[in-house]
């Protein structure tokens, strides 16, 4: 509107009266076009407190806010292809009798001045009832901060979904995670490292993220990575994931772990392989 008025006013004499008239017309057009809606046009909206533990939908379907249980986590620094990376391993659990849609796991740290810093978020999807999951992530190097200042927290809320009622029925069912069993850890000659042979028993064909967790001789969790062939080369937007196609039934798999991927102090006899959503 303002452009059209300006173009029409441009050929007119440039007198103070003409300029004032053009400004008045623009102001009138703007007032008419962008005037706030009347009370009759305003829609009434019901507000719901943000801290409400349960959301009820018109269909009778509900979701309940709960806390994701982080059983343990470990973080270490490694150098891969001349780049420093953080490898994060965690064991999380859904202790409830319903599917749990997990919120983000947040990698946080304390700065040199003692200020909290939220570095990166990781998402693990839906966890079946009464199920523990091993998960491994790769993150940026974290600068000069020591790993002791890093923590893994469930900052975003998680939700339990109703098993019956409304549109939610059958739409948020957690995947049936396969059972993964580590069979053998053997040394590699080139490059230095280890080959992990494991067995996968799956109820149905699916894509699943297999993770490797590293522990020291006392069982303390040091970190973890996705078990794909190149988890560090897939580094993107702060996280790395390798989803592997798994056939129904029993299959034998393996993954090679170069020494550069293994955190200092890790015990090869305590490597773990497990599924994550």
């Amino acid at each position: 509107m303002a452009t059209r008025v300006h173009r029409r006013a441009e050929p007119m004499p440039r007198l103070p009266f003409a300029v004032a008239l053009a400004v008045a017309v623009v102001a009138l057009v703007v007032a008419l076009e962008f005037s706030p809606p009347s009370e009759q046009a305003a829609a009434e909206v019901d507000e719901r407190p943000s801290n409400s533990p349960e959301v009820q939908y018109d269909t009778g379907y509900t979701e309940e806010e709960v806390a994701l249980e982080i059983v343990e986590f470990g973080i270490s620094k490694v150098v891969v292809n001349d780049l420093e990376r953080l490898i994060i391993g965690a064991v999380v659990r859904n202790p409830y009798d319903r599917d749990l849609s997990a919120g983000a796991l947040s990698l946080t740290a304390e700065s040199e001045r003692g200020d909290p810093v939220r570095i990166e978020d990781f998402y693990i999807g839906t966890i079946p009832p009464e199920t523990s999951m091993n998960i491994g992530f790769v993150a940026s190097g974290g600068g000069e901060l020591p790993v002791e200042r890093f923590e893994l927290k469930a900052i975003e809320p998680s939700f339990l979904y109703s098993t019956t009622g409304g549109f939610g029925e059958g739409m948020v069912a957690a995947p049936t995670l396969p059972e993964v069993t580590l069979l053998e850890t053997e040394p590699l000659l080139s490059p230095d490292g280890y080959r992990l042979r494991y067995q996968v028993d799956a109820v149905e064909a699916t894509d699943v993220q297999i993770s490797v967790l590293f522990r020291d001789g006392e069982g303390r969790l040091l970190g973890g990575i996705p078990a794909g062939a190149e988890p560090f080369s897939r580094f993107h937007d702060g996280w790395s994931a390798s989803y592997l196609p798994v056939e129904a039934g029993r299959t034998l798999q393996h993954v090679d772990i170069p020494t550069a991927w293994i955190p200092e102090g890790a015990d090869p006899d305590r490597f773990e392989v497990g599924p994550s959503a």
Side-chain angles (χ1 to χ4, degrees), residues 245-260:
V246 174
E247 299 177 1
R250 174 169 293 178
T251 57
L252 299 179
Q253 311 273 355
H254 76 271
V255 59
D256 293 340
I257 309 294
T259 301

Side-chain angles (χ1 to χ4, degrees), residues 23-44:
V23 172
V25 170
V26 171
L28 177 60
V29 171
V30 171
L32 291 176
E33 289 290 328
F34 300 98
S35 59
S38 64
E39 294 182 1
Q40 293 180 348
E44 294 184 1

Side-chain angles (χ1 to χ4, degrees), residues 79-119:
V79 178
V80 178
N81 298 327
D82 297 325
L83 295 174
E84 190 174 65
R85 299 298 192 205
L86 291 173
I87 59 173
I88 303 110
V91 179
V92 298
R93 176 170 172 76
N94 173 12
Y96 306 99
D97 60 356
R98 286 180 282 164
D99 295 340
L100 184 147
S101 178
L105 290 178
S106 298
L107 180 65
T108 65
E110 184 179 293
S111 69
E112 294 289 351
R113 297 182 300 180
D115 299 324
V117 181
R118 186 170 176 174
I119 299 175

Side-chain angles (χ1 to χ4, degrees), residues 153-258:
K153 298 180 179 180
I155 293 180
E156 294 186 0
S158 298
F159 294 93
L160 291 179
Y161 288 111
S162 173
T163 55
T164 59
F167 67 88
E169 186 173 1
M171 293 184 63
V172 291
T176 302
L177 296 179
E179 182 178 344
V180 180
T181 305
L182 179 61
L183 301 176
E184 182 183 22
T185 301
E186 60 174 304
L188 289 174
L189 296 179
S190 180
D192 291 339
Y194 298 89
R195 170 165 292 182
L196 279 57
R197 302 184 187 273
Y198 58 93
Q199 173 181 296
V200 180
D201 292 285
V203 176
E204 56 188 353
T206 184
D207 290 340
V208 64
Q209 184 185 346
I210 308 295
S211 296
V212 178
L213 298 188
F214 304 106
R215 297 182 182 273
D216 62 14
E218 299 179 356
R220 185 172 62 94
L221 184 56
L222 301 179
I225 58 174
E230 297 289 341
F232 293 90
S233 68
R234 296 188 179 189
F235 188 81
H236 177 67
D237 288 341
W239 63 286
S240 175
S242 299
Y243 283 87
L244 306 177
V246 174
E247 299 177 1
R250 174 169 293 178
T251 57
L252 299 179
Q253 311 273 355
H254 76 271
V255 59
D256 293 340
I257 309 294

